[in-house]
Amino acid sequence: GDQTRGHRFHAPSPITVRDFADYRNKLAAAKVVIDAAERRRTIGAGARRLARDAGLTLVEDEALVAEIAGLVEWPIPMLGRFDKRFLDVPAEVLVATMKVNQKYLSLREGNGNLAPNFITVANLEARDGGKQIIAGNEYVLTARLADAEFFWTQDKKKTLESRLPALNDMVFHAKLGSLGEKVGRIESLAGELARFVPGAEGAKARRAAHLCKADLVSGMVHEFPEVQGVMGRYYALNDGEGRDVAEAIAQHYSPAGPSDDCPTAPTALCVALADKLDTLVGFWA
């Protein structure tokens, strides 16, 4: 037929169109932007403007903007905030929960630290300027961040070392044993590789490999898998482990793809290579 409809709240009545240009123009007048690229541009420009007006900087995330653009037809970016107390939780966790669970864009302050703010994208022009929408999103986010805060507080009560036995109950591969067994192989291999990596120390490489998967059985990583390795670094530092060891735990998953950075620190290089070589050799065998 030759009929369509506009925005379900702003212009729900039927619209008769003649051709594509008429279709596009009438839907735009009815608060529907049909071009996904245009929606992305609107979200990006609006988010940067809100950030600039608040004296903040938008954390650019093209993939998230594209995802949001697929969820709205009349994008209206809005600025919200959350309690500063949550900034005690690692920034990577806050960004992960805002992005994955809520589809919020993050912001940074002038010093580079994460700001207690977020940008959400509404799908309509609210009569109150978005006050209720922002308040509702702030309420939901507070609950999410409270969960993250709880896991952060609880996880620090146990050392990474104490978590290692639980890895024996996690299957890595039916024919290659548990994650605990994989860690044993990585540990041995990382120590051997240290002999060939300039600046590497076998003891540090083995220690980092020994702990590199322990955060997988933490409450935080169980809730937010995106921060595996990252949380291992925080927990290692909390346990008093050396910075080389902690950074190697964080970096040993890298590179996660062709566009990701490779580890460069000697200890991290040993563990990252050991992890990947063990997987490749095991799978081929």
Side-chain angles (χ1 to χ4, degrees):
D2 60 357
Q3 285 193 338
T4 186
R5 291 177 184 270
H7 194 286
R8 64 185 181 131
F9 295 127
H10 291 309
S13 301
I15 300 168
T16 302
V17 299
R18 295 188 308 274
D19 51 32
F20 180 74
D22 193 40
Y23 171 75
R24 180 185 58 219
N25 295 336
K26 284 184 177 176
L27 277 181
K31 308 290 188 182
V32 176
V33 179
I34 65 170
D35 185 352
E38 186 179 346
R39 295 197 300 273
R40 290 197 299 272
R41 288 192 294 270
T42 298
I43 293 168
R48 292 185 200 97
R49 184 176 62 254
L50 287 172
R52 186 174 59 251
D53 292 346
L56 304 171
T57 303
L58 179 69
V59 177
E60 298 288 344
D61 191 332
E62 292 184 9
L64 179 56
V65 169
E67 185 176 2
I68 297 170
L71 299 172
V72 296
E73 56 189 6
W74 191 252
I76 307 292
M78 297 179 178
L79 179 69
R81 61 179 296 105
F82 57 85
D83 196 310
K84 285 186 176 181
R85 86 168 199 265
F86 293 122
L87 293 175
D88 291 337
V89 179
E92 294 91 342
V93 174
L94 302 181
V95 171
T97 189
M98 285 192 286
K99 174 180 178 175
V100 176
N101 297 127
Q102 303 303 129
K103 313 305 177 192
Y104 296 161
L105 292 161
S106 303
L107 299 149
R108 294 196 180 278
E109 296 177 329
N111 58 10
N113 292 334
L114 191 70
N117 299 88
F118 65 91
I119 288 177
T120 185
V121 181
N123 193 34
L124 53 79
E125 295 176 2
R127 294 173 183 171
D128 65 354
K131 291 180 181 178
Q132 287 189 29
I133 293 175
I134 293 170
N137 280 276
E138 289 176 343
Y139 179 81
V140 172
L141 181 60
T142 296
R144 291 283 189 184
L145 298 185
D147 286 345
E149 182 182 48
F150 171 79
F151 292 125
W152 171 239
T153 302
Q154 293 299 116
D155 283 347
K156 288 190 294 181
K157 295 178 180 179
K158 292 181 66 175
T159 64
L160 286 177
E161 183 80 38
S162 71
R163 296 182 182 278
L164 291 175
L167 293 177
N168 295 323
D169 298 325
M170 297 178 70
V171 176
F172 169 60
H173 186 279
K175 295 181 179 180
L176 297 174
S178 68
L179 264 178
E181 291 173 294
K182 178 176 175 64
V183 165
R185 297 194 297 268
I186 298 173
E187 191 175 344
S188 299
L189 186 52
E192 289 297 315
L193 287 169
R195 298 192 292 124
F196 304 97
V197 177
E201 298 178 24
K204 284 185 178 180
R206 283 191 291 272
R207 182 61 180 170
H210 182 64
L211 299 173
C212 70
K213 304 293 185 184
D215 68 341
L216 293 177
V217 291
S218 66
M220 186 74 85
V221 174
H222 184 269
E223 185 73 10
F224 307 107
E226 302 81 12
V227 293
Q228 62 183 7
V230 172
M231 293 314 301
R233 172 186 177 276
Y234 282 106
Y235 296 144
L237 292 174
N238 184 67
D239 295 347
E241 300 288 343
R243 188 160 292 277
D244 279 0
V245 169
E247 293 297 340
I249 293 171
Q251 296 177 24
H252 87 278
Y253 288 106
S254 299
S259 61
D260 194 16
D261 292 332
C262 292
T264 54
T267 304
L269 199 56
C270 293
V271 183
L273 279 172
D275 187 17
K276 292 164 182 59
L277 287 169
D278 174 75
T279 297
L280 287 169
V281 171
F283 282 6
W284 280 109

